[in-house]
Amino acid sequence: MTDSITTPSAGAADNNSHQPDQTPTIPGGFDPALIQRMIDQGIFIETAAGLMAAEVPEVPATHSLAEHEKNLLAAVLVGTDDQHERWGLFRRAIGLRFDEMVPGSIWTQPGLRALALEIDELFRGRRDIDVLNAYAIREDVRQRALDGRFRGSLLQIEEALSEVIAWGDDGLIHPELDFKIACRLFQSAKARALFYPGLRKLLAREQIDNLIDDELESCRQLLNDATSITAGRYRQSFQVCSEADARRECLALASLPAEQRPKPISTGIPSLDIDMRGGVLPGTGDSTWVLAAKSGVGKTTVGIAAAMGLAINGASVLVLSCELSRRAIGARLLANYCRRASGVFTPRYSANELEGRGEVIEGRDFEYLDQLSAQFAESIAPNGQRMGRVLYQSHFAATVEELAALVEDCKSAHPELAAVVLDHFHAMGPTPGYGSNTTAELAARATAIKALAGRCELDIFVVAQLNRGAYGNPTGPDVSHLAGTSELERYASAVWLIDRPKLDEFSKPKPGVLEIHHGKFRHGQMSGEDDCSKTTIRMDRAHCYLEADEARHLFIGSDLYPGVECL
């Protein structure tokens, strides 16, 4: 069954011209193969009375699918702003994963198809530029053509661009170019183009003696195809890889020059980096890293510091919290940025102040805060370099399924997303169906997080709670003190257990000083012969900022940790 009714060819038109309009049957001894081809092309329809000429559906020109495609592309391309977010919304609306291409089959015209695929490749980070609009697309295509790297028709792309821009920038008012409206209209028009032609064929065959099961299956397939585009399930089918895929990928990776291979992006915390082989590798992540501590010790503080370290060094990060508000997360992230930009300790711009709970910031202090926050909003690091995106959200007592859906949605919108900080494992809501079997539920939760990391090619930092056995343990906490399940440790590539050191039971811990017990490091350590089973760090907790780290001496001469002292 074809998706749409095609216009008869010239030869077919000649055959039709010998028949009266709406002739119920076609007499004569036609070649059966020719008749079947005409049926397959939608020129004729089989009925109980014989063959009937197919009626081409009359769709008003102003509502054609091609026009809705141009509306959608114009809403993305017109103007000088970066439209990554809009294209990401379209991809999510039709249900694509971050690693799936927008199918070329959904576009009706070759030029629009080529243009849409260029937009999608740029969005997925496979082009030399990272700005998405018509001007950027045009310049990128021209430059690649000059370099001999463009495979396609430059004229086709240029004509499609000109057509789309003229369509959306003709000086008239186009309410349909509002992106959300354009996206919805495109989905509806595409669903109709998939559904109605096939439905007409199906209804025309209702008198034929076929099994009803076949008709029901055809109807179900039509409905599924149409619904997939409107309900966000328009995904490509899963495929398995072959020996040829392994050969192609391995040869490409093995021959990649050292200077072109991805470099680890540091967390900014030496005590973590030594167990991570230097940091996070964007695009190849599949690891979970566990930061665990007793209540109030500072595990969230270290998690925020790691997130900001990754972002400052160029990785895009998502911070999710099941116990902090959005206001509290945002204040901690900006407080860290302000502390880094200051270069020296300052009590100003702490998380409390930025949440509106400390002293009032005014005068020159407020002007400086306004300047720093503007840089932060533009993703400009304190040293003036471009930093990764810092995304965050609060979802109180969310289940692992809800958080997984949020992460997958974010990854689809931002394919460059490299890491997630999840705060925290034991503050998540329980998944229904486990009843009082908390251990089984926590084990399933840990498995789901590990699967999420692999599915989305992310590194996930899981902040977790230690059980009561860690309190007063003379040798400090170990992996057996992770609360509730051993699965969290089993799947982790590294486990860091954070504690406050005390000289004796009568002494107070030193402010900001924390011990990191390296409970597990699956890939070994970068410490050589040094014993790094336990390292000490000092945090400026008000700004979630790392001031000093005992493991800093392993990176003497490195500029990865500006301002971090060696304890």
Side-chain angles (χ1 to χ4, degrees):
M1 179 177 293
T2 57
D3 288 339
S4 59
I5 297 173
T6 56
T7 304
S9 62
D14 291 339
N15 289 333
N16 290 340
S17 64
H18 295 297
Q19 304 169 33
D21 290 342
Q22 298 300 318
T23 301
T25 62
I26 300 180
F30 285 100
D31 182 357
L34 175 61
I35 295 177
Q36 187 59 50
R37 283 199 301 273
M38 290 181 174
I39 294 172
D40 293 340
Q41 293 172 8
I43 299 172
F44 296 120
I45 295 177
E46 291 182 278
T47 70
L51 296 179
M52 291 185 62
E55 294 182 8
V56 178
E58 295 181 1
V59 180
T62 55
H63 294 86
S64 70
L65 180 55
E67 292 187 357
H68 288 300
E69 292 171 6
K70 286 188 282 188
N71 284 341
L72 178 69
L73 295 176
V76 172
L77 293 175
V78 171
T80 58
D81 294 336
D82 180 20
Q83 301 292 3
H84 265 81
E85 184 175 351
R86 284 189 170 185
W87 192 252
L89 286 172
F90 166 64
R91 287 174 53 89
R92 285 181 286 165
I94 62 176
L96 295 179
R97 280 170 41 87
F98 74 95
D99 56 350
E100 292 180 324
M101 296 175 56
V102 170
S105 59
I106 67 175
W107 311 98
T108 58
Q109 298 181 1
L112 298 181
R113 181 184 306 118
L115 180 57
L117 295 182
E118 279 294 327
I119 294 172
D120 201 52
E121 289 292 280
L122 190 154
F123 175 84
R124 298 170 65 223
R126 298 170 183 266
R127 292 293 181 257
D128 297 334
I129 55 175
D130 58 2
V131 176
L132 178 50
N133 57 43
Y135 178 78
I137 290 280
R138 178 177 281 123
E139 291 305 309
D140 178 66
V141 169
R142 286 178 177 175
Q143 187 59 53
R144 283 165 45 224
L146 290 174
D147 296 342
R149 294 182 290 120
F150 180 70
R151 299 291 181 267
S153 170
L154 190 62
L155 178 61
Q156 185 184 61
I157 291 289
E158 184 61 41
E159 288 179 345
L161 263 173
S162 300
E163 181 182 6
V164 167
I165 297 306
W167 178 268
D169 198 19
D170 58 4
L172 302 177
I173 298 176
H174 290 284
E176 69 275 12
L177 292 185
D178 175 274
F179 181 74
K180 291 183 178 179
I181 296 176
C183 190
R184 188 61 191 167
L185 289 175
F186 169 83
Q187 288 176 277
S188 299
K190 180 63 181 178
R192 286 190 173 92
L194 288 170
F195 184 68
Y196 285 121
L199 181 61
R200 276 188 284 270
K201 288 185 179 182
L202 194 62
L203 291 175
R205 299 186 182 194
E206 63 180 341
Q207 300 300 323
I208 298 177
D209 290 333
N210 285 338
L211 290 175
I212 187 63
D213 290 345
D214 294 339
E215 304 299 326
L216 291 175
E217 182 58 33
S218 298
C219 189
R220 184 182 299 110
Q221 186 60 48
L222 276 175
L223 187 59
N224 288 342
D225 290 345
T227 303
S228 67
I229 196 74
T230 59
R233 297 195 299 270
Y234 198 73
R235 293 187 171 183
Q236 298 171 354
S237 59
F238 290 102
Q239 297 180 347
V240 295
C241 299
S242 67
E243 304 91 336
D245 296 310
R247 177 180 183 272
R248 181 173 58 254
E249 184 175 14
C250 291
L251 287 178
L253 292 173
S255 62
L256 193 65
E259 64 274 9
Q260 296 181 21
R261 296 185 178 186
K263 302 294 189 300
I265 296 181
S266 169
T267 64
I269 304 177
S271 283
L272 304 189
D273 288 348
I274 61 173
D275 297 335
M276 300 177 65
R277 293 177 293 186
V280 165
L281 279 175
T284 62
D286 61 359
S287 296
T288 55
W289 314 90
V290 177
L291 281 162
K294 297 173 287 188
S295 296
V297 167
K299 54 185 179 291
T300 300
T301 300
V302 176
I304 293 290
M308 283 301 297
L310 287 167
I312 294 291
N313 289 318
S316 290
V317 184
L318 170 65
V319 178
L320 292 177
S321 181
C322 297
E323 59 177 3
L324 293 177
S325 66
R326 285 189 300 170
R327 179 181 64 253
I329 304 169
R332 283 161 172 75
L333 295 169
L334 182 56
N336 177 283
Y337 184 90
C338 292
R339 175 71 170 81
R340 286 174 180 270
S342 298
V344 295
F345 175 75
T346 171
R348 302 316 312 263
Y349 317 129
S350 68
N352 272 347
E353 289 180 332
L354 297 180
E355 283 189 71
R357 297 191 289 121
E359 295 184 11
V360 176
I361 301 177
E362 53 190 354
R364 290 188 176 180
D365 285 337
F366 185 81
E367 292 176 4
Y368 188 46
L369 174 62
D370 185 51
Q371 175 188 338
L372 293 180
S373 61
Q375 291 178 193
F376 182 55
E378 294 295 325
S379 296
I380 300 173
N383 62 3
Q385 299 295 317
R386 193 75 181 173
M387 58 185 279
R389 295 292 305 274
V390 182
L391 309 166
Y392 65 95
Q393 185 56 275
S394 170
H395 202 326
F396 292 107
T399 65
V400 69
E401 292 79 14
E402 291 170 332
L403 291 176
L406 198 159
V407 170
E408 293 201 42
D409 188 60
C410 186
K411 180 71 174 181
S412 294
H414 305 278
E416 75 281 6
L417 186 67
V420 174
V421 175
L422 179 55
D423 178 36
H424 66 77
F425 183 79
H426 294 94
M428 296 165 60
T431 298
Y434 288 91
S436 60
N437 194 345
T438 305
T439 301
E441 195 276 324
L442 291 176
R445 189 183 302 180
T447 303
I449 293 173
K450 174 60 178 176
L452 176 65
R455 191 164 63 246
C456 291
E457 297 180 0
L458 290 166
D459 285 86
I460 300 183
F461 293 78
V462 184
V463 180
Q465 188 79 19
L466 294 179
N467 60 32
R468 295 185 181 275
Y471 290 78
N473 191 51
T475 59
D478 58 50
V479 293
S480 69
H481 296 135
L482 288 171
T485 178
S486 62
E487 300 300 309
L488 193 57
E489 179 266 331
R490 180 179 302 173
Y491 293 128
S493 294
V495 178
W496 301 291
L497 307 142
I498 306 171
D499 200 8
R500 288 177 179 164
K502 295 175 65 175
L503 295 176
D504 54 62
E505 59 180 325
F506 304 105
S507 303
K508 289 184 177 181
K510 292 182 179 179
V513 176
L514 300 173
E515 283 182 345
I516 295 184
H517 296 256
H518 299 253
K520 176 182 178 180
F521 31 89
R522 173 174 290 168
H523 306 301
Q525 291 187 314
M526 299 173 61
S527 56
E529 297 180 358
D530 293 338
D531 177 16
C532 285
S533 60
K534 182 175 71 174
T535 53
T536 304
I537 65 175
R538 186 175 74 242
M539 299 292 300
D540 168 7
R541 191 162 182 173
H543 298 85
C544 299
Y545 176 79
L546 177 70
E547 293 183 328
D549 191 328
E550 183 182 355
R552 178 69 173 87
H553 75 278
L554 298 171
F555 300 90
I556 296 298
S558 171
D559 59 356
L560 289 174
Y561 313 101
V564 177
E565 302 174 11
C566 180
L567 281 175

